[in-house]
Amino acid sequence: MSYKAVVFDLDGTLLDTLDDLADCMNAVLARKGFPTHPTEAYKTFVGDGMHMLAKRTLPAEKLTEELADETLAGMRAQYAEHWADKTRPYDGITDMLAALLDRGLKLNVLSNKPDDFTKLCVAKFLGDYDFQIIQGIAEDCPAKPDPTGANAICKTLGIPAEETLYLGDTNTDMKTANAAGMYAVGVTWGFRSAEELKTYGAKTLIDHPSELLKLLD
């Protein structure tokens, strides 16, 4: 198959955002008098949007929709000030992006991060690379694994889903890729295990960004 486009997840795939997400959420929880969590625990808390992150980190016995909404608002405010403190691209990401562009592929981002933060992160850390579409959760783009965002990318680009690679690090990403008819590539350097990625439909696993190029040869 000749691939013409790549859709990337953001957190845990292109950028290592875990420390900033954990630090910000823990700061919000601490201010509310709730227990905080080890950074490593956030690997299972993140991936399904900031609202779900708030729900997963709050004490189950205290959880209400109102509290989740309040915590989400606090997280957005905290993250707005500290989203770039420790976040960095994973090793090998920038070289991979440059190589893909040299081969003429169209690069895109589809994240479960809010759309405004998604665009900020890509602009700051990956702004040297020509992304066609950068999309996070918005009114017209529901959270993955709903394939609406992925389908919209293919439609806008005029490239069939079967000619599109999708890279992600969670079960949510693999579900999204398969629902959209894209080729699901699981990355093992992110937040979840290789076993999870295989269980939820990864067609290929890669351990380093450079390995993606082998799928194009």
Side-chain angles (χ1 to χ4, degrees), residues 22-75:
D23 290 350
C24 289
M25 193 74 248
N26 279 339
V28 174
L29 293 171
R31 283 200 296 269
K32 289 182 170 296
F34 295 134
T36 59
H37 306 277
T39 298
E40 192 73 8
Y42 280 85
K43 288 185 174 181
T44 58
F45 293 155
V46 302
D48 293 297
M50 206 170 273
H51 190 256
M52 184 59 70
L53 171 62
K55 286 186 172 183
R56 288 172 175 165
T57 56
L58 287 165
E61 68 277 9
K62 301 285 188 180
L63 182 59
T64 63
E65 282 300 323
E66 182 180 4
L67 179 59
D69 289 344
E70 291 174 1
T71 305
L72 171 61
M75 176 59 176

Side-chain angles (χ1 to χ4, degrees), residues 146-210:
D146 187 309
T148 297
N151 293 336
I153 288 173
C154 286
K155 182 177 181 179
T156 300
L157 295 178
I159 296 174
E162 58 268 24
E163 296 178 9
T164 305
L165 296 167
Y166 182 108
L167 266 70
D169 69 306
T170 70
N171 69 79
T172 298
D173 292 311
M174 298 304 96
K175 292 175 185 176
T176 304
N178 284 292
M182 298 177 177
Y183 188 89
V185 180
V187 307
T188 62
W189 60 78
F191 299 159
R192 304 287 178 83
S193 68
E195 180 179 1
E196 175 178 313
L197 294 168
K198 287 189 291 185
T199 298
Y200 287 92
K203 293 182 172 65
T204 298
L205 295 180
I206 59 175
D207 301 320
H208 189 272
S210 61

Side-chain angles (χ1 to χ4, degrees), residues 8 10 14-15 89 93-102 105 107 109 118-132 134:
F8 295 98
L10 187 62
L14 293 176
L15 301 180
I93 288 294
T94 57
D95 288 342
M96 175 196 67
L97 295 176
L100 291 172
L101 288 171
D102 285 345
L105 275 80
L107 308 184
V109 171
T118 297
K119 289 177 168 61
L120 280 171
C121 284
V122 174
K124 179 173 179 62
F125 296 109
L126 302 170
D128 292 338
Y129 303 92
D130 184 18
F131 286 91
Q132 301 294 306
I134 301 167

